[in-house]
Amino acid sequence: MSLVTGDALSLLLFRLHSGRLLGINLLKVNEIIPCPALTKLPNRHPHVRGIATLRGSALTVIDLARAIGERGVSSEEEGCLIVTEVSRSRQGLHVKSVERIVQCSTRDVRPPPAAAGNRAFITGVTQIDGAIVQILDIEKVLHDIAPALDQAPIEGLLESNDQQLLQGRRVLLVDDSQVALQQTLNVLRQLGLDCTAVRSAQAALEQLHDYQQAEMPFELLVSDIEMPEMDGYNLVREIRRSADIAATYVLLHTSLDSTMNTEKARSVGANAVLTKFSSVDLTQALLDAFRQMDGRS
């Protein structure tokens, strides 16, 4: 069975030492291993347990419980590592135990409760066999540990004709992760784009229709793929079915490896797909999009 069919989402369920049940998109998981011996580095971040050597490569090991505000564990032997690859980085998450793989529908994933606030490390909540499962916002975990991922300054990257190409062009951005949303928004605004940002696919659809009716259409949508209730793939399908907004250029911007998603993205009608987060690559993708729209490529 395919890991992703329609709006299905495959989750790896795991527990922290507090008993808290969490899930992570299976496509972000490389492997699950016993925690190896760790090298403790001086001046390391308090949420980093140390560095492991995995098949000759260094792997940063994060104490996930501590990273999301819970009590950390005292010994590496008390749990296991979930090795993840997200937004061009690879790391090990130290957890108590891994339970199983389940499938659910993105339509059954709800946004986190508003009371959770900006300190919540979850992007959504769903129910599996009567149990509440919180879906981990791994991007926020990584950002809190190493906030300066790829934030290369935009100044000097653009020639004058490129600046003119982008200046004032209307772009809609949708991402359920506040961290990813802000990172992307910062780049778009530095480029001189006229940006509007929303946190859900449904809100993005409404904005696209509303601005079209007001005769101020968005030319380009930058959309996350993993979102509660409606994912990026289904958002693209809805756009292509709607005559008034069907011509919108859609760039899917994902923390997953874009090479894994290109075929599916094309099949639903997306124009391009890009792995988060590189300000340089995002700038180039936007330039390519507007050149294509203007018939320059």
Side-chain angles (χ1 to χ4, degrees), residues 22-297:
L22 293 166
I24 185 171
N25 188 330
L26 188 60
L27 292 177
K28 294 181 177 179
V29 177
N30 281 353
E31 58 185 312
I32 301 154
I33 59 173
C35 189
L38 301 181
T39 301
K40 311 288 177 138
L41 299 179
N43 303 318
R44 70 183 185 274
H45 191 283
H47 300 160
V48 173
R49 294 192 67 88
I51 303 296
T53 300
L54 186 59
R55 290 185 289 278
S57 298
L59 181 76
T60 300
V61 174
I62 297 168
D63 186 335
L64 185 59
R66 188 171 295 167
I68 65 175
E70 297 189 2
R71 184 175 179 179
V73 295
S74 58
S75 169
E76 288 85 16
E77 297 176 359
E78 295 181 29
C80 61
L81 292 190
I82 301 174
V83 181
T84 67
E85 189 158 355
V86 181
S87 299
R88 308 182 188 223
S89 70
R90 192 162 170 262
Q91 50 281 313
L93 306 179
H94 192 219
V95 303
K96 179 184 179 182
S97 60
V98 167
E99 296 211 341
R100 58 193 172 114
I101 295 168
V102 298
Q103 278 205 337
C104 66
S105 168
T106 55
R107 290 171 294 182
D108 295 330
V109 178
R110 296 290 177 258
N118 289 332
R119 291 301 301 165
F121 287 87
I122 58 174
T123 59
V125 178
T126 191
Q127 196 171 71
I128 303 292
D129 297 336
I132 299 298
V133 176
Q134 299 174 322
I135 300 175
L136 180 69
D137 186 349
I138 182 64
E139 291 168 301
K140 181 167 178 55
V141 171
L142 298 181
H143 179 78
D144 279 13
I145 293 172
L149 293 175
D150 177 5
Q151 292 290 347
I154 302 302
E155 295 83 359
L157 289 180
L158 299 181
E159 303 200 5
S160 59
N161 57 333
D162 290 334
Q163 292 175 342
Q164 292 172 8
L165 175 67
L166 298 178
Q167 197 66 37
R169 304 290 284 261
R170 190 168 287 114
V171 175
L172 178 62
L173 168 63
V174 56
D175 202 308
D176 64 320
S177 168
Q178 183 61 41
V179 166
L181 189 79
Q182 194 59 53
Q183 280 182 322
T184 308
L185 197 56
N186 287 344
V187 172
L188 299 185
R189 286 177 172 162
Q190 284 185 65
L191 293 171
L193 294 162
D194 181 355
C195 305
T196 299
V198 293
R199 295 286 298 276
S200 73
Q202 185 59 48
L205 266 181
E206 292 169 2
Q207 290 283 296
L208 287 168
H209 286 297
D210 289 349
Y211 274 68
Q212 181 68 38
Q213 290 176 7
E215 298 183 351
M216 298 187 301
F218 291 104
E219 295 180 84
L220 187 147
L221 171 68
V222 179
S223 174
D224 189 19
I225 292 179
E226 290 181 281
M227 293 181 286
E229 298 179 318
M230 183 192 300
D231 64 15
Y233 297 127
N234 282 303
L235 172 57
V236 178
R237 289 189 183 101
E238 290 298 320
I239 290 170
R240 299 306 181 222
R241 289 179 189 137
S242 303
D244 59 332
I245 58 174
T248 306
Y249 189 104
V250 179
L251 169 64
L252 291 178
H253 198 209
T254 175
S255 58
L256 301 170
D257 182 353
S258 62
T259 58
M260 298 169 56
N261 296 276
T262 299
E263 183 177 349
K264 185 171 179 64
R266 298 290 189 187
S267 72
V268 299
N271 299 90
V273 59
L274 178 68
T275 302
K276 299 172 184 172
F277 187 83
S278 164
S279 55
V280 173
D281 289 353
L282 178 57
T283 298
Q284 188 58 56
L286 294 167
L287 286 170
D288 291 344
F290 285 113
R291 286 171 184 152
Q292 183 177 323
M293 285 183 233
D294 291 358
R296 301 186 191 183
S297 62

